[in-house]
Amino acid sequence: GAEAAQAAMGGSGSVLPRDPLSEYQELTFLSKQEILLAYKRFSELLPKEERENACSVRVPKSQILTLPELRANPFQHRICRVFSTSDAGDDSMSFEDFLDMLSVFSESATLDIKSHYAFCIFDFDGDGTLDRKDLEKLVNCLTGEGEESRLNNAEMEQLIRNILEESDIDKDGTINLSEFQHVISRCPDFASSFKIVL
């Protein structure tokens, strides 16, 4: 009951009201316990005086990036950009943004949902397709920015050609969402190499 939820949340002041809780459950792939834990984690990213109103304040991107899930993720900045609903364009997150992100990361999320968000994350310029520039950035993120790990031009060219050959079904030189999802559903190995959300 309420007491158990209260205890789980570590005392008063950080308990989600019951109605939003069931609503969040319907809108995400998270269980009640996972939502309560997410609320606790989100509140802890806020200064003490703001924790009471965790449902109505935004956490700055700098704080979101301290989360263990994102700390070592090569796509951390893109993830903040894609899940943030901030009008200011500062990639800050509301509690609902945070829940959306955790929901997509969760094991219960469907491959369709995961691949949809992965596509948005890889679409660096936000134009709805993965073109050569996006693919180049994607490869650089995966291989790291260090001189010794970066691919030279010829290797990069070859890799992008391979990716397009594998994925670009209509041969227009870019990968659209349905082509991306097709590749991911067909090649579990390809999917698992994108540990970011898949």
Side-chain angles (χ1 to χ4, degrees), residues 41 45 61-77 79-80 101 105:
R41 292 183 68 194
L45 294 172
K61 175 182 177 178
S62 56
Q63 281 297 95
I64 298 289
L65 291 178
T66 65
L67 294 165
E69 291 91 330
L70 291 185
R71 214 176 290 149
N73 193 308
F75 299 97
Q76 48 176 223
H77 296 289
I79 291 169
C80 288
M101 177 179 79
F105 278 145

Side-chain angles (χ1 to χ4, degrees), residues 97-149:
D97 295 343
F98 184 67
L99 270 191
D100 279 343
M101 177 179 79
L102 292 183
S103 175
V104 171
F105 278 145
S106 84
E107 286 177 11
S108 324
T110 63
L111 189 58
D112 254 13
I113 293 276
K114 285 178 179 291
S115 56
H116 171 80
Y117 277 96
F119 182 84
C120 295
I121 288 164
F122 300 156
D123 180 13
F124 288 85
D125 57 10
D127 67 353
T129 61
L130 304 186
D131 57 22
R132 284 173 162 273
K133 277 206 172 65
D134 292 324
L135 294 173
E136 204 166 302
K137 284 186 175 168
L138 167 57
V139 171
N140 281 336
C141 277
L142 288 171
T143 55
E145 294 296 313
E147 283 305 307
E148 64 291 337
S149 57

Side-chain angles (χ1 to χ4, degrees), residues 4-69:
Q6 191 127 344
M9 296 304 302
S12 65
S14 57
V15 179
L16 268 172
R18 185 157 289 179
D19 290 347
L21 187 54
S22 42
E23 201 175 306
Y24 290 145
Q25 248 185 300
E26 283 168 33
L27 296 173
T28 66
F29 294 98
L30 303 170
S31 69
K32 200 169 276 190
Q33 282 312 107
E34 288 172 321
I35 292 168
L36 290 171
L37 181 60
Y39 186 76
K40 187 172 188 296
R41 292 183 68 194
F42 186 78
S43 312
E44 285 167 358
L45 294 172
L46 291 164
K48 283 201 167 53
E49 64 278 8
E50 287 184 15
R51 287 181 190 173
E52 295 284 308
N53 311 314
C55 272
S56 55
V57 292
R58 302 188 73 85
V59 165
K61 175 182 177 178
S62 56
Q63 281 297 95
I64 298 289
L65 291 178
T66 65
L67 294 165
E69 291 91 330

